[in-house]
Amino acid sequence: MAKKLVYMDNNATTPVDPEVAKTTMESLEFYGNPSSMHTMGREAHDRIEKARFLTASLVHARPHEMIFTGCGSESNNAVINLLFSEELQKSRRRKFISSVIEHPSIHELDSMLKRRGIDVVRVPVDKEGLVDMEAYAQALDDSTALVSIMTANNEIGTIQDIESLTSLAHDHGALMHTDAVQAAGKIEIDVRKTKVDYMSLSGHKLYAPKGIGALYIRSGAPFSPFLLGGHQESGRRAGTYNTTGIISMGAAAEIALKHLDEEIKRIGGLRDALEEGIRERISDIRVNGHPEHRVPGTANISFLGAEGESILLYLDMEGVQVSTGSACATGSLEPSYVLMETGIGAELSHGSIRFSLGRFTTAEEVDYVLDVLPPIIERLRRMSTL
Ligand code: PLP
């Protein structure tokens, strides 16, 4: 097969859907400040409200419960910031619970929280990445202010039982946040069913451009603005509205909702074909994450005796874009903390590759990867035994 460019890194970011891109370009015409009272301002405002409705609909929220942010990381930070709100400070609740596999935009706030007197607990996960319910139940008590557990993990795709986790948190009077950045548009999400208080979303994981995120805030849930200095978002986030980003995100949410069922089947089918093909062709591999409770596009596979970074670079030479569990983004070769927390050990963690398939992945591309991957692994294994 001739060399081609195959993008299998959709969990890192998605391409912009051409339909979304069309809307993005059109949105540039609505340059009036959405807060202005004149006709052009009102036109931009109306488009934003339509996008809010569409984005809220993706997770069965009501439009006024959805605010737009700059990215998923901002949404996560804004929720954690709540721990210092007057309301939570008054409640004397000082505990924050998350899991050991949360995104850095949750994890990296831990030391700041501890410095400011918050009792931080990270609950462990099992081998497949599911939160240990016993440890979670033990950690929860009446001093718990906030719980934050991701709906789906970015590296291994494991989907948590958010409904049960929320119910337990609420039993103790704690508020519940979920980072659904890797889940929205990939699986059915219903905030009415899970009853979460807050949920983070990100446009660039949903075939919208980068630089736009959203935060669901349940009607009646406490919130204190993270960004101050303007009345936008009903006083919940200051700053002139990112009209283009917001309209694009609305379009992306509409498309995702419309095609959700068919994409779950199609992308899930391709992912399964990729995993089966790899199993048939390559020995000593391990498929990471939960076998069933996993987002459709994610295949995280460890290749014993081969280095993830090297596999990635060799695949790149063949035109295949993937990710490795190692923290290559920071230039370090530390094994992935997510995989390490599942207890599979350093060797398997080092040899892991994340293939993340998406809307534009084709069966032909899966076949191409199945063609080029086995000789790469064979070569690397031979080199490592030498
Ligand atoms: N949460 C998860 C689970 C993610 O995978 C990411 C991005 O990789 C984020 C949050 C951050 O989103 P953003 O890139 O929009 O800040």
Side-chain angles (χ1 to χ4, degrees):
M1 232 183 263
K3 180 178 160 179
K4 53 194 282 182
L5 198 64
V6 173
Y7 187 71
M8 287 203 184
D9 203 12
N10 287 277
N11 287 14
T13 193
T14 50
V16 177
D17 187 303
E19 280 298 306
V20 175
K22 237 169 75 191
T23 312
T24 303
M25 292 310 291
E26 285 162 13
S27 76
L28 295 171
E29 284 171 35
F30 300 102
Y31 60 84
N33 190 319
S35 302
S36 298
M37 283 167 70
H38 49 61
T39 305
M40 285 174 70
R42 287 200 312 273
E43 264 176 15
H45 177 268
D46 289 351
R47 301 285 162 149
I48 284 178
E49 291 316 306
K50 184 180 169 209
R52 194 186 305 284
F53 169 81
L54 294 170
T55 307
S57 300
L58 180 62
V59 297
H60 300 276
R62 287 171 288 187
H64 67 276
E65 295 176 307
M66 196 60 81
I67 67 167
F68 291 103
T69 63
C71 56
S73 301
E74 183 195 321
S75 301
N76 284 349
N77 273 243
V79 172
I80 307 261
N81 187 56
L82 260 178
L83 289 162
F84 307 110
S85 66
E86 228 172 274
E87 199 161 339
L88 288 199
Q89 292 275 324
K90 260 197 300 203
S91 75
R92 295 182 176 274
R93 289 174 177 262
R94 308 295 292 161
K95 192 189 271 190
F96 170 60
I97 300 177
S98 68
S99 85
V100 289
I101 59 166
E102 297 302 309
H103 187 263
S105 54
I106 297 287
H107 266 178
E108 289 190 11
L109 277 75
D110 277 7
S111 49
M112 179 272 290
L113 292 177
K114 284 180 195 160
R115 270 199 314 276
R116 294 176 66 179
I118 303 288
D119 181 13
V120 176
V121 179
R122 290 182 186 175
V123 291
V125 295
D126 67 14
K127 256 202 147 83
E128 287 158 343
L130 283 176
V131 163
D132 177 338
M133 288 306 253
E134 229 176 274
Y136 176 63
Q138 258 172 27
L140 276 168
D141 58 23
D142 294 346
S143 76
T144 311
L146 178 68
V147 175
S148 179
I149 292 182
M150 66 204 327
T151 302
N153 182 266
N154 40 312
E155 289 190 35
I156 54 177
T158 297
I159 301 167
Q160 305 294 339
D161 178 358
I162 296 297
E163 194 175 346
S164 303
L165 292 160
T166 304
S167 162
L168 275 169
H170 286 171
D171 285 349
H172 290 274
L175 291 161
M176 180 77 188
H177 166 250
T178 188
D179 171 352
V181 163
Q182 291 289 348
K186 294 177 184 166
I187 57 170
E188 166 78 16
I189 294 182
D190 186 345
V191 292
R192 301 277 154 250
K193 194 158 162 264
T194 57
K195 298 192 166 54
V196 293
D197 301 294
Y198 313 98
M199 175 187 282
S200 303
L201 306 174
S202 174
H204 76 100
K205 312 282 186 183
L206 203 58
Y207 308 94
K210 291 152 188 70
I212 183 71
L215 178 63
Y216 162 76
I217 305 167
R218 181 184 54 73
S219 181
F223 190 72
S224 70
F226 182 52
L227 277 185
L228 301 167
H231 56 273
Q232 291 89 352
E233 298 288 0
S234 311
R236 291 172 293 181
R237 186 200 188 251
T240 301
Y241 291 102
N242 172 3
T243 310
T244 294
I246 293 171
I247 293 175
S248 306
M249 180 141 182
E254 184 178 26
I255 295 170
L257 186 61
K258 191 166 153 203
H259 299 293
L260 187 61
D261 293 341
E262 107 202 24
E263 285 203 342
I264 290 174
K265 271 202 211 99
R266 196 188 73 82
I267 299 172
L270 288 177
R271 191 269 317 271
D272 293 347
L274 177 69
E275 286 181 358
E276 268 166 47
I278 290 175
R279 267 203 190 92
E280 280 165 15
R281 289 166 178 77
I282 304 171
S283 62
D284 297 319
I285 63 137
R286 182 183 198 279
V287 176
N288 301 309
H290 199 282
E292 293 131 45
H293 304 302
R294 190 150 49 107
V295 286
T298 304
N300 187 310
I301 301 178
S302 293
F303 300 89
L304 197 72
E307 238 290 318
E309 302 288 317
S310 312
I311 305 171
L312 180 148
L313 293 173
Y314 275 101
L315 278 174
D316 189 29
M317 284 193 264
E318 298 291 347
V320 181
Q321 322 288 296
V322 295
S323 227
T324 162
S326 314
C328 59
T330 58
S332 99
L333 275 180
E334 284 297 301
S336 141
Y337 67 92
V338 171
L339 290 173
M340 289 302 282
E341 291 292 353
T342 65
I344 64 165
E347 196 181 356
L348 279 172
S349 299
H350 267 302
S352 93
I353 287 290
R354 179 187 71 188
F355 302 87
S356 48
L357 287 58
R359 181 171 298 156
F360 303 107
T361 308
T362 63
E364 195 197 357
E365 289 177 335
V366 169
D367 288 343
Y368 178 75
V369 172
L370 291 174
D371 231 34
V372 298
L373 182 64
I376 291 175
I377 302 297
E378 199 188 310
R379 187 167 172 189
L380 290 172
R381 282 179 173 165
R382 228 181 15 240
M383 277 157 64
S384 86
T385 49
L386 285 174

